[in-house]
Amino acid sequence: LIVYGFFNARNLIIGPEIDIYSPSNNIETADNLIVIKGKAENVSFISLNERLISVDSNGLFQEKFLLSPGSNIIEIKASDRFKKTIQKSLQIYYKQETSTTTEINL
């Protein structure tokens, strides 16, 4: 009976969990649009930089994010129905490619 009670209360004890599959933390990219993929468990609310995102029935999420030139900090926050929260952060550096122009002097 105790084991059964513990098994059913595991979500209350563990709290929310977030796993980010891609992108990796502290990367440099030349693409200004990235796709953030991951899995969230035991959550009732999840946000990406304070913007509510959705998860599917398996807890998977996938969101596009537009990067600004330079360093970008992406925060994913989640909470469960008991107000336990967790936060994960990614730092992505977007190195904007410069185009070279050639002047023609006549």
Side-chain angles (χ1 to χ4, degrees):
L1 186 62
I2 294 172
V3 172
Y4 178 75
F6 180 74
F7 180 76
N8 285 330
R10 73 187 182 284
N11 291 341
L12 174 63
I13 295 168
I14 294 172
E17 296 180 23
I18 301 172
D19 290 322
I20 301 172
Y21 300 149
S22 70
S24 299
N25 193 20
N26 295 320
I27 64 166
E28 183 176 307
T29 182
D31 297 324
N32 68 339
L33 184 65
I34 60 169
V35 177
I36 301 169
K37 297 179 183 180
K39 184 173 185 176
E41 295 183 23
N42 307 326
V43 300
S44 59
F45 173 82
I46 185 166
S47 66
L48 174 70
N49 283 5
E50 304 296 328
R51 183 177 51 91
L52 185 64
I53 61 174
S54 61
V55 295
D56 66 11
S57 59
N58 297 320
L60 300 172
F61 62 88
Q62 178 173 324
E63 288 292 318
K64 293 179 182 178
F65 189 82
L66 188 61
L67 299 172
S68 300
S71 183
N72 293 267
I73 297 176
I74 301 166
E75 292 182 344
I76 300 174
K77 295 180 187 176
S79 61
D80 64 7
R81 62 183 175 179
F82 303 106
K83 306 297 182 200
K84 286 186 179 180
T85 61
I86 188 171
Q87 176 178 328
K88 296 268 180 130
S89 296
L90 294 173
Q91 186 166 359
I92 311 290
Y93 186 81
Y94 169 48
K95 186 175 182 179
Q96 192 173 18
E97 294 195 17
T98 58
S99 60
T100 57
T101 58
T102 306
E103 285 188 32
I104 301 175
N105 293 327
L106 298 176

